[in-house]
Amino acid sequence: MTEKIQIEHLTLQYADGAESLRDISLNVRENAITVLFGPAGGGKSSLLRCLNRLNDLADVKTVSGKILLDGENILDPQTDVIALRRKVGMVFARPVVLPFSIYGNLTYGLEVMGEKRKLRLDEAVERSLRQAALWDEVKERLDDPAIALSGGQQQRLCLARALALEPEVILLDEPTSGLDPISTGKVEASLQELKKNYTILLAPHSVQQAARVADYAAFFLQGELVEFGEGKTLFTTPRQKRTEDYVTGRFG
Amino acid sequence: MNKLLLNRNQTQRLGFALLTVMAAITVLPIILVVFYVISQGGAAISWEFLSGFPRDGMRQGGILPALVGTLALTVGTAIFSVPLGVAAAVYLAEYAPENGLTRLIRIAIINLAGIPSVVYGLFGLGLFVLFLKFGTSILSASLTLSIMTLPVIISTAEEALRAVPQAFRTVSISLGATRWQTIRRIVLPEALPGILTGIILGLERAAGETAPILFTGAAFFLPRLPNSPFDATMALPYHLFVISTQVPEMPFQIQYGTALVLIVFVLGMNLIATIIRSQARARRQW
Ligand SMILES: Nc1ncnc2c1ncn2[C@@H]1O[C@H](COP(=O)(O)OP(=O)(O)OP(=O)(O)O)[C@@H](O)[C@H]1O
Ligand SMILES: [Mg+2]
């Protein structure tokens, strides 16, 4: 397995606060699920938003260090962020469906990049819905407003929408925080299937989820990367006291 | 112990009753005005009245030139104020950084909305009629009305744009859309009903104003239809002013008939705004 993303000495500071990420160095493997976990305010979301440069929209004061994606530093001002965001898809905590049909949600990303061929769009819709385990539930009503779907279906639609662009990396920020256990299970199952072809970074909504899905896990505490390692070892025999306290539920 | 005081239920009912009465009081004058105008002027309305020219020192005949003039002025105002106003709103809501300059612009817009309309008239006279030499014309009057209408359009459109959930923008950007694609494909369509409402409210005011066109484009009497933007024109509100104050022995009916046409024109625009809004609400997807 190769390293898809290399984060080197990443430090991030928002305009109004202290450093939200402090000197983070971390390698993300291809075809694996890397989990970023830890208590609130640890910097998990901030790190994810660096990876597709969505933080460009926020009030960031300074970013330093490097994030190499396939060897290219994406923090470089010359980076084509549009192309980057197609390569690095994102799913957010609250499912946000766009005010279109199910079909329209899935084709949006392709349409803004100029894809007009109906055949290609149809293909992408079916493929991405199958990948997100939603095809059977919605194939009869692709033209219905997406908002009519249940919360769990909406979140899988959001996953499918990111997949429709055929990204290489998928970022998921607490994608199941608003979902019931069954829907959560479906999303997690999809991720297990997806990791065969994608690099996945996930901020889970609980330690339990982190332990369930992590191939690799990184424990974040107040902007600091405390411990990083294989999921199996990190959750059973953490090296750091602070990690142990957190995973055994002694704080946080 | 406090039997004299009302219990919560009674308080609530009293509150509702009071609010209902107050709402009725505010609506009453509008209804009275409309009914009074209809009762006094309804009989004047006929095809000849709408399609004929004024005769006999405006004491007889129709109001066609004034009706057409007001239509032309409204369209002219829309041509200038809508693209500019919407563009300014998009800039303010979507692009402008929060700094001293944008704060200044916002303050200016708010103050612009508070300026008496006659001042716009004088400004239009100075700038468009005299300095730019557009003369007393539909063009000058439309431009003047546009300046008056802009603040309304800008502030309602900006509000409508800001009401579109931020999450739509974030998601769109994360899917590789540019900022402009996001605005054009998601934000503007979502805000459209609100923007249209603002546009119509602004144009409605423009259609009914006398002072801004008084020195810039309105003709006292013009027995023909205007045939270019550089023509002066009759207009309903000014015509109403003229026949109500400047013409002796003016038949009552014609005055009220003219007022009725003006009210129907303005309320009709209002009705369109309401329909657009309710249809958009029915289609709303979030
Ligand atoms: N857009 C922003 N502007 C300013 N400060 C921010 C912004 N986003 C996050 N922060 C700050 O950065 C720090 C890390 O936040 P972040 O959202 O990355 O943490 P998190 O680990 O995702 O937490 P949670 O578990 O609550 O989602 C916090 O102190 C937060 O206040
Ligand atoms: Mg977070």
Side-chain angles (χ1 to χ4, degrees):
Chain A
M1 285 209 268
T2 55
E3 273 152 13
K4 182 78 177 169
I5 303 169
Q6 290 152 298
I7 301 169
E8 293 174 4
H9 305 293
L10 178 68
T11 295
L12 172 89
Q13 187 175 10
Y14 292 105
D16 58 356
E19 289 168 346
S20 298
L21 292 170
R22 231 178 352 268
D23 196 19
I24 307 292
S25 293
L26 175 69
N27 289 342
V28 180
R29 294 275 171 86
E30 205 164 24
N31 305 331
I33 298 179
T34 300
V35 155
L36 315 175
F37 75 108
K44 302 162 300 230
S45 303
S46 299
L47 178 58
L48 290 178
R49 287 197 305 264
C50 284
L51 296 173
N52 63 351
R53 290 273 300 269
L54 208 57
N55 255 344
D56 289 8
L57 304 182
D59 216 350
V60 175
K61 191 162 137 204
T62 51
V63 203
S64 61
K66 282 183 183 166
I67 298 177
L68 304 177
L69 173 65
D70 294 329
E72 303 243 357
N73 183 13
I74 62 166
L75 294 182
D76 191 315
Q78 307 294 324
T79 304
D80 177 356
V81 290
I82 304 287
L84 172 69
R85 289 174 189 145
R86 283 179 195 139
K87 205 162 154 184
V88 182
M90 188 161 198
V91 177
F92 300 86
R94 211 167 52 86
V96 179
V97 298
L98 297 173
F100 309 134
S101 64
I102 295 172
Y103 189 93
N105 264 273
L106 293 164
T107 55
Y108 181 79
L110 292 166
E111 279 169 8
V112 297
M113 65 184 266
E115 182 61 76
K116 290 197 183 71
R117 287 165 293 181
K118 181 90 173 83
L119 200 67
R120 296 293 298 275
L121 297 175
D122 286 350
E123 269 169 24
V125 166
E126 179 167 352
R127 175 185 52 76
S128 60
L129 282 174
R130 284 189 190 281
Q131 285 177 309
L134 192 58
W135 173 250
D136 290 328
E137 287 162 67
V138 302
K139 64 180 172 199
E140 306 294 340
R141 49 181 177 132
L142 293 175
D143 292 325
D144 285 6
I147 195 74
L149 296 172
S150 77
Q153 290 171 328
Q154 285 184 26
Q155 191 59 306
R156 277 178 286 147
L157 180 68
C158 292
L159 175 59
R161 187 174 59 194
L163 293 170
L165 282 168
E166 300 186 58
E168 295 168 20
V169 180
I170 306 167
L171 313 173
L172 303 110
D173 194 352
E174 306 189 31
T176 56
S177 59
L179 304 188
D180 63 273
I182 308 244
S183 300
T184 301
K186 285 184 185 170
V187 171
E188 287 179 12
S190 305
L191 295 182
Q192 293 302 337
E193 197 53 41
L194 287 169
K195 77 176 183 190
K196 293 172 190 161
N197 299 309
Y198 298 87
T199 305
I200 297 177
L201 279 111
L202 171 79
H205 80 262
S206 66
V207 185
Q208 288 82 349
Q209 184 175 49
R212 270 198 308 273
V213 301
D215 295 314
Y216 297 91
F219 177 54
F220 282 83
L221 194 57
Q222 292 176 354
E224 206 182 310
L225 174 58
V226 176
E227 186 168 348
F228 175 63
E230 282 194 44
K232 288 194 289 284
T233 45
L234 194 139
F235 289 103
T236 49
T237 51
R239 278 165 294 163
Q240 298 273 339
K241 176 84 170 65
R242 287 179 292 175
T243 316
E244 186 182 346
D245 285 348
Y246 187 73
V247 298
T248 54
R250 243 169 287 175
F251 85 96
Chain B
M1 52 171 219
N2 47 10
K3 284 225 176 66
L4 278 175
L5 294 178
L6 302 169
N7 68 29
R8 284 190 300 166
N9 248 320
Q10 287 165 321
T11 319
Q12 155 139 326
R13 250 175 288 157
L14 186 73
F16 273 146
L18 252 159
L19 289 173
T20 312
V21 169
M22 300 217 273
I25 289 175
T26 53
V27 181
L28 205 62
I30 304 171
I31 297 176
L32 278 178
V33 167
V34 172
F35 271 90
Y36 186 68
V37 171
I38 291 178
S39 72
Q40 297 294 308
I45 305 295
S46 66
W47 181 243
E48 267 116 297
F49 186 67
L50 294 175
S51 68
F53 287 85
R55 282 182 285 115
D56 188 17
M58 293 185 263
R59 289 181 196 90
Q60 300 270 323
I63 54 166
L64 182 68
L67 191 57
V68 170
T70 287
L71 209 68
L73 289 173
T74 309
V75 171
T77 305
I79 288 173
F80 295 116
S81 62
V82 170
L84 247 170
V86 174
V90 168
Y91 172 74
L92 286 174
E94 304 291 327
Y95 289 102
E98 276 309 313
N99 59 24
L101 181 68
T102 46
R103 262 194 298 279
L104 199 71
I105 294 178
R106 281 207 185 79
I107 292 172
I109 290 170
I110 290 167
N111 281 308
L112 224 52
I115 292 177
S117 53
V118 67
V119 177
Y120 284 105
L122 282 172
F123 176 77
L125 173 68
L127 180 62
F128 302 122
V129 178
L130 300 176
F131 183 72
L132 293 174
K133 301 199 169 59
F134 294 156
T136 311
S137 62
I138 294 179
L139 181 63
S140 296
S142 298
L143 286 167
T144 309
L145 288 170
S146 296
I147 296 181
M148 188 190 77
T149 312
L150 268 175
V152 181
I153 295 184
I154 295 176
S155 43
T156 45
E158 187 186 350
E159 212 169 296
L161 291 166
R162 284 188 190 279
V164 176
Q166 196 57 39
F168 287 172
R169 298 180 179 84
T170 314
V171 164
S172 171
I173 297 287
S174 82
L175 290 167
T178 62
R179 221 156 164 172
W180 172 241
Q181 286 174 322
T182 304
I183 292 169
R184 206 177 57 74
R185 287 171 182 258
I186 299 178
V187 181
L188 273 177
E190 281 300 297
L192 198 60
I195 294 176
L196 283 177
T197 307
I199 289 172
I200 291 179
L201 288 179
L203 292 181
E204 190 183 291
R205 184 173 161 217
E209 277 284 356
T210 310
I213 60 173
L214 196 56
F215 325 116
T216 56
F220 185 85
F221 176 66
L222 202 69
R224 57 178 177 83
L225 296 180
N227 49 25
S228 102
F230 295 99
D231 260 5
T233 181
M234 292 181 79
L236 280 175
Y238 184 54
H239 182 62
L240 184 58
F241 168 76
V242 166
I243 59 178
S244 308
T245 59
Q246 314 287 307
V247 183
E249 289 161 49
M250 187 69 208
F252 228 55
Q253 256 196 8
I254 296 215
Q255 292 173 1
Y256 278 96
T258 308
L260 182 56
V261 173
L262 183 58
I263 287 183
V264 168
F265 190 94
V266 169
L267 289 186
M269 285 171 74
N270 225 319
L271 190 70
I272 295 172
T274 312
I275 291 172
I276 291 173
R277 234 190 339 234
S278 64
Q279 277 193 345
R281 203 169 297 145
R283 253 189 306 117
R284 172 127 310 170
Q285 311 211 330
W286 44 273

